[in-house]
Amino acid sequence: MAVTPTLTALQVMQDAPVIPVIVLTDPKHAVPMARALVAGGIRMLEITLRTPQALACMELIAREVPQAVVGAGTVRSASDAQAAAMAGARFAVSPGYTHAVGHACRELGLPLLPGVATGSEIMMAQEDGFTELKFFPAMQAGGAAMLKAWGGPFGDVRFCPTGGVTLHNAPDLLALPNVACVGGSWLVPFDALAQGDWARIETLAREASGLRR
């Protein structure tokens, strides 16, 4: 039986202008990084399942930083979704879309932002009831021009463009009526993590949270 989510995909997208796309390789970075992002006004944190340490990092943030809302990125299978939910994730983001991933997230009560890059993928996600989607890889797949073109046939869809998005091109994307937020890795640079420069991450988060949409 499907679990009713306590959070909707639209609420995830509308909480702040940017969802940070985070790659963590050391669990000791997880909590201070999350606290820095929250202090800068960013609560929705997409921890990507790209490293063996990702699930442990999610668990730490979910337990130690209650102000943050932990999400799982790079969800590619039902087992990914299940593991993320067990680790405390409250939403999921996928690089593409399959019926299996959509069904698993619905059963788990995890709001899902499915990744799409073509009209056919949008239609497949919509058939399964998803209208808040991740456009990925956004800049490589057409950027703002593609989103403007989709505004006609898919006027009922809201997008989170991710992939190649920066502080400099984010405002152009956020100005589009079908864009609810953007996803970006620039908020948590690898060198800032390695150096434990939490003040820099907080500053980047504050800049991102101040973007207009």
Side-chain angles (χ1 to χ4, degrees), residues 45-69:
L45 312 184
E46 179 188 337
I47 311 298
T48 60
L49 295 176
R50 300 180 189 178
T51 70
Q53 298 82 11
L55 293 170
C57 292
M58 287 183 208
E59 290 179 356
L60 285 167
I61 295 169
R63 184 172 68 242
E64 302 292 336
V65 193
Q67 307 95 324
V69 180

Side-chain angles (χ1 to χ4, degrees), residues 185-201:
S185 59
W186 82 86
L187 281 74
V188 185
F190 287 116
D191 60 339
L193 278 176
Q195 296 162 12
D197 193 347
W198 314 125
R200 180 182 169 198
I201 289 175

Side-chain angles (χ1 to χ4, degrees), residues 70-149:
V70 179
T74 323
V75 172
R76 301 189 301 166
S77 65
S79 60
D80 282 347
Q82 291 160 358
M86 289 288 290
R90 294 177 57 195
F91 68 93
V93 185
S94 59
Y97 181 70
T98 66
H99 299 300
V101 166
H103 177 75
C105 287
R106 185 162 282 127
E107 290 294 307
L108 292 163
L110 277 181
L112 173 66
L113 298 181
V116 299
T118 68
S120 296
E121 291 168 346
I122 295 172
M123 290 167 65
M124 185 168 70
Q126 279 192 297
E127 283 182 358
D128 287 351
F130 295 97
T131 56
E132 287 81 38
L133 309 177
K134 167 183 171 176
F135 176 31
F136 177 81
M139 302 314 292
Q140 297 87 343
M146 181 67 84
L147 287 161
K148 289 176 184 177

